[in-house]
Amino acid sequence: MKDIYILGIESSCDETSFSIVKNGIEEIATVISSQIDIHKDYGGVVPEIASRAHVKNVTFVLEECLLKAHMTMNDIDFIAVCNGPGLIGSLLVGLETAKTLAWLYHKPLIPVHHIAGHIYANNLVKRLSFPLLSLVISGGHTELIYMEKDYSFIKLGGTLDDAVGECYDKVGKVVGIDYPAGPMIDKLAHLGEITYQLPIPLNDNSYNFSFSGLKSAVINLVHNEEQKGNSINKENLCASFQHAVIESLSKKMIKAINDYHIKNLILAGGVSANLGIREKVGDICESMGISYTFPNIKYCTDNAAMIATAGYYAYLAGHVADYSLNGKSSMELE
Ligand code: KG4
Ligand code: ZN
């Protein structure tokens, strides 16, 4: 069978990225231009600044990716682009680039849901096995997704308010950790002990999550201690916070594993780089006799390799778009 080369494009938030993936499984070249340094001073991503930075970067990142792969656009079979969910101005930059390339070089245009991309980042580590359960934990999403086969998604539950990554970033702000705070909180948590009493969010029998109460509990705790003139032990606070997050995620995950007789589990999204979460999820899967895969650390956060990989399976499932394809800031994974 002829090899298929997919060009993936990701620009939904603050990373401009292009990647070339062969047959949905083998990464040829990936380039990621991150805007973290630009947004750091604002404590989060500023949408208007993000779109402008994508416009500035997009041609250079594409050129670098093709150079790295020793390929030209003529070697590409089709173009996969993330068309949502995400920041609309940012999405449109990647989308217009994809449409222009598809028209100019007569290539099929494949729309890819951002979360499908995060899920398929695992396919670059090990071919997905079905049926599977994906715990999606990112800056914008916290969801349990059940998949019976490739590119078929059933949402079992999700967050009712803040996403888990958003919660890490907001807690980071209160304790003086730069955006994105997740990696540093994870590091400090490993140095501390669980000494602060924090609520386990939405400790019920559903598949849903809630993180705004936990965030408020941390903010109130810090303010109360400050008012009393007490100093906060950052390591212990991070350990206590991370413990509450892990308890909430694992309780819902175990319920879904049991209810759906799951044999394969994957993590997806930026927060799946978290070592505490990986450790706990690995332990749970081993004790339950389940096979599990985590994405490569460098492809936990946004990148185009995951979009190209997902794009291959989206194409096989018949998802081909015309030039009216538009970006969507919110969009269900179906
Ligand atoms: O998946 P992603 O790039 O963005 C969305 O699609 O939403 O995830 C970014 C999020 C940020 O909130 C960041 O703080 C979090 O992932 N993150 C982490 C870790 N590394 C990144 N959170 C916890 N622990 C980490 N090690
Ligand atoms: Zn993402």
Side-chain angles (χ1 to χ4, degrees):
M1 212 171 82
K2 181 193 170 303
D3 287 327
I4 302 285
Y5 291 90
I6 311 112
L7 175 72
I9 305 178
E10 159 62 39
S11 71
S12 66
C13 191
D14 58 342
E15 266 91 24
T16 319
S17 179
F18 285 77
S19 175
I20 297 166
V21 166
K22 185 173 142 187
N23 300 331
I25 200 136
E26 187 185 330
E27 182 196 9
I28 305 295
T30 302
V31 179
I32 305 170
S33 167
S34 171
Q35 304 171 10
I36 282 180
D37 286 342
I38 305 175
H39 299 288
K40 217 171 175 150
D41 294 344
Y42 304 95
V45 178
V46 184
E48 174 72 16
I49 296 175
S51 324
R52 286 169 188 269
H54 284 304
V55 171
K56 213 165 128 190
N57 291 337
V58 81
T59 41
F60 299 112
V61 180
L62 167 62
E63 194 175 24
E64 197 183 328
C65 180
L66 288 168
L67 279 173
K68 207 169 158 186
H70 304 290
M71 292 173 90
T72 71
M73 280 305 298
N74 295 322
D75 301 313
I76 300 297
D77 292 288
F78 51 81
I79 295 163
V81 61
C82 170
N83 68 318
L87 302 172
I88 195 67
S90 293
L91 284 166
L92 290 177
V93 179
L95 207 53
E96 286 310 306
T97 308
K99 286 203 255 184
T100 307
L101 292 171
W103 175 75
L104 199 57
Y105 294 98
H106 310 287
K107 311 287 181 192
L109 180 67
I110 317 299
V112 174
H113 191 288
H114 186 73
I115 294 306
H118 276 302
I119 289 173
Y120 273 89
N122 288 281
N123 204 64
L124 292 165
V125 177
K126 195 174 141 225
R127 181 72 183 99
L128 301 186
S129 310
F130 303 98
L132 73 72
L133 179 73
S134 176
L135 176 60
V136 179
I137 39 178
S138 78
H141 299 263
T142 310
E143 282 161 17
L144 279 166
I145 305 283
Y146 175 73
M147 291 175 75
E148 240 165 24
K149 57 180 187 198
D150 270 313
Y151 229 76
S152 142
F153 310 97
I154 296 167
K155 181 174 160 183
L156 304 183
T159 182
L160 304 178
D161 41 58
D162 290 358
V164 63
E166 188 183 352
C167 185
Y168 267 90
D169 295 336
K170 287 179 179 166
V171 162
K173 225 173 191 176
V174 182
V175 294
I177 297 171
D178 275 351
Y179 169 85
M184 182 53 80
I185 292 182
D186 189 17
K187 215 179 255 177
L188 294 176
H190 279 85
L191 303 173
E193 281 170 31
I194 304 158
T195 54
Y196 293 101
Q197 281 289 326
L198 291 169
I200 308 293
L202 203 67
N203 200 5
D204 65 4
N205 233 357
S206 74
Y207 298 121
N208 291 326
F209 304 94
S210 164
F211 289 100
S212 75
L214 176 60
K215 170 194 70 187
S216 304
V218 175
I219 294 172
N220 291 340
L221 190 148
V222 171
H223 289 166
N224 286 341
E225 291 301 306
E226 275 170 3
Q227 273 167 5
K228 285 188 214 151
N230 297 337
S231 62
I232 286 280
N233 181 313
K234 244 191 215 185
E235 287 81 4
N236 290 352
L237 183 61
C238 289
S240 310
F241 165 70
Q242 186 146 300
H243 170 73
V245 169
I246 293 176
E247 283 304 301
S248 160
L249 293 175
S250 20
K251 181 174 175 189
K252 304 304 171 90
M253 187 189 87
I254 291 170
K255 176 174 163 54
I257 290 173
N258 285 328
D259 292 354
Y260 284 80
H261 311 290
I262 296 297
K263 291 276 166 264
N264 306 287
L265 183 125
I266 59 172
L267 288 182
V271 183
S272 61
N274 187 285
L275 298 180
I277 295 174
R278 283 179 175 234
E279 214 175 293
K280 178 74 182 219
V281 170
D283 287 348
I284 291 171
C285 289
E286 269 161 36
S287 71
M288 295 179 86
I290 292 170
S291 100
Y292 60 98
T293 310
F294 302 149
N296 193 318
I297 293 280
K298 68 179 173 177
Y299 294 146
C300 285
T301 43
D302 296 348
N303 66 86
M306 67 185 201
I307 300 297
T309 306
Y312 178 79
Y313 297 95
Y315 177 76
L316 295 182
H319 295 261
V320 180
D322 61 24
Y323 299 135
S324 66
L325 180 66
N326 211 340
K328 286 190 179 159
S329 53
S330 67
M331 161 175 153
E332 282 300 321
L333 181 59
E334 286 160 353

